[in-house]
Amino acid sequence: MSSFNIGLLPGDGIGPEVVAEGVKVLDAVGSRFGHEFAYTSDTVGGAAIDAFGFALRDETLEMCKAQDAIFFGAVGGPKWDDPNAKVRPEQAILGLRKGLGLFANIRPVKMYDFLADSTSLKPEVVRGVDLIVLRELTGGIYFGKPQKQWVENGERHVVDTLAYSEHEIERIVRVGFALAQGRRKKLTSVDKANVMESSRLWRAIVLEIAPDYPDVELEHLLVDACTMHLISRPGDFDVIVAENLFGDVLSDEASMLAGSMGMLPSASLGARDEGGTGLGMYEPIHGSAPDIAGQGIANPIAQVLSGAMLLRLSLGLEAEALAVEAAVDAVLAAGHRPPDLAGPNDTPKDTTAMGDLIVEALAG
Ligand code: IPM
Ligand code: MG
């Protein structure tokens, strides 16, 4: 029997509700495959601001470093959403990314056939979409200094800084090539090399390391063109690699191809030999959804599938990850729908009912 330590950061809004289902599913994997998961939970985001005055405490970061993986819910809500406040829930997520060296953000977008009619695009355009947005997560304009506002001659000025070093670009691009090698062997590198110096270095580095991956077809797209191609020919994409801010924007756009944000998991990784902690953090991409929090109606599938990524990428438990994904597929194939996916003829299943169904399917 192997045992693993998992840090739980449920956060705000629907975070705690969906993390509870994710844990239920992990425990079911434990009983079926003979593993033990030991959880250490802590408060982050708005809840931590209320309790401690900070979104992320040093103790929390230290606790995380001692785990095998981090299972994260979501942070934020209307109570804390003043963008000018000194403490904001988002500082938890940014602090965890930086503090744990999670430079590679993997956001898979896979369209479930039954959702082809639920997107705002034509079903024939989105059917079969299966891509990954790989986003650089600890550099670029999110973390560059200076980042400030000041007043000069009675006028307000502002600066954000987009800075990258060679090794930061190289390590994320290599993750992109490696991911593509394990899939359909196509990498789209996104930049704005016609305007930005940072993008010119980005593209140069991509071209320099491409010969190490001769089996991968490489394509460069300017970010503005990429936003167009993503909705006109989404099926052509396999792995898209982009710097932090471009990846943020593109991954939200790409999520719309899947028909529902309630289905999309993500992983944030930082290889030890690249200056990271070797840890991975796993979270749904949908956020805290304050409008439906506390009602028990959130779709837990993105959290459950994030658990599958945790099993695969941090714990090396591929069969277990596949079993979770198959259980989700089976529950959906049997016609069960969480409220956000229910059609007029479906009886929607609430958060815990969906979790229970997935657990049942796992047990076989
Ligand atoms: C995301 C979110 C975050 C980001 C916010 C909450 C800081 O939009 O994970 O994509 O901008 O990275
Ligand atoms: Mg975002």
Side-chain angles (χ1 to χ4, degrees):
M1 168 143 180
S2 33
S3 76
F4 301 97
N5 297 315
I6 312 285
L8 287 186
L9 304 175
D12 306 316
I14 61 170
E17 299 167 39
V18 290
V19 166
E21 301 312 305
V23 166
K24 212 153 87 178
V25 172
L26 286 179
D27 286 338
V29 167
S31 8
R32 173 165 156 197
F33 291 87
H35 307 300
E36 200 180 7
F37 300 108
Y39 305 99
T40 307
S41 205
D42 206 349
T43 306
V44 290
I49 292 176
D50 288 351
F52 311 109
F54 300 102
L56 176 68
R57 295 177 304 148
D58 292 345
E59 302 80 308
T60 310
L61 206 51
E62 290 314 306
M63 178 280 278
C64 288
K65 288 180 183 166
Q67 310 299 315
D68 294 308
I70 312 299
F71 206 30
F72 186 96
V75 293
K79 183 172 173 196
W80 312 278
D81 71 0
D82 172 6
N84 293 313
K86 281 248 158 353
V87 287
R88 296 186 304 275
E90 291 74 20
Q91 290 163 341
I93 183 96
L94 297 177
L96 284 161
R97 289 171 183 172
K98 197 70 175 174
L100 301 175
L102 307 174
F103 67 85
N105 182 213
I106 301 178
R107 297 183 167 185
V109 177
K110 197 167 168 181
M111 138 125 289
Y112 285 79
D113 256 1
F114 76 91
L115 287 174
D117 292 315
S118 318
T119 77
S120 46
L121 298 166
K122 297 195 185 94
E124 64 270 25
V125 172
V126 292
R127 210 178 293 279
V129 163
D130 179 5
L131 60 85
I132 289 178
V133 177
L134 174 66
R135 169 186 177 193
E136 200 291 324
L137 206 56
T138 52
I141 206 157
Y142 271 61
F143 295 99
K145 296 276 180 304
Q147 179 183 60
K148 60 173 183 179
Q149 289 196 33
W150 72 99
V151 178
E152 214 174 290
N153 301 328
E155 193 190 5
R156 282 172 295 177
H157 296 254
V158 66
V159 64
D160 285 296
T161 302
L162 201 173
Y164 273 110
S165 62
E166 180 171 358
H167 84 274
E168 289 178 297
I169 298 174
E170 178 172 342
R171 67 186 180 182
I172 187 72
V173 172
R174 285 197 186 278
V175 172
F177 274 113
L179 277 175
Q181 276 182 326
R183 296 168 44 96
R184 300 197 309 278
K185 300 192 171 36
K186 179 164 177 199
L187 181 67
T188 302
S189 169
V190 174
D191 61 42
K192 186 73 186 172
N194 53 346
V195 176
M196 293 167 70
E197 199 57 30
S198 52
S199 284
R200 286 190 274 273
L201 180 61
W202 176 282
R203 193 178 284 209
I205 291 173
V206 171
L207 286 167
E208 281 158 26
I209 64 180
D212 294 348
Y213 309 87
D215 53 332
V216 176
E217 179 197 341
L218 173 64
E219 159 185 67
H220 302 277
L221 280 183
L222 297 173
V223 63
D224 49 351
C226 186
T227 63
M228 279 190 328
H229 292 294
L230 254 179
I231 51 171
S232 60
R233 52 170 184 97
D236 285 355
F237 291 96
D238 182 13
V239 178
I240 299 173
V241 64
E243 66 86 41
N244 203 341
L245 181 59
F246 293 164
D248 178 47
V249 175
L250 291 175
S251 60
D252 265 25
E253 187 192 11
S255 74
M256 289 294 95
L257 302 168
S260 163
M261 274 183 121
M263 310 288 281
L264 300 179
S266 78
S268 303
L269 309 173
R272 212 181 291 273
D273 56 2
E274 292 288 1
T277 46
L279 268 175
M281 183 165 90
Y282 301 84
E283 62 182 299
I285 71 153
H286 50 57
S288 60
D291 52 322
I292 58 161
Q295 300 176 36
I297 57 168
N299 179 357
I301 292 178
Q303 188 78 48
V304 167
L305 292 175
S306 298
M309 292 186 88
L310 181 156
L311 293 165
R312 170 177 294 124
L313 298 172
S314 276
L315 309 185
L317 302 175
E318 177 66 24
E320 289 81 343
L322 287 171
V324 170
E325 288 158 355
V328 169
D329 286 346
V331 168
L332 292 169
H336 303 295
R337 300 285 182 265
D340 60 327
L341 306 182
N345 302 320
D346 299 318
T347 310
K349 298 282 187 303
D350 66 14
T351 311
T352 52
M354 280 307 291
D356 291 340
L357 286 162
I358 296 167
V359 164
E360 263 170 51
L362 247 177

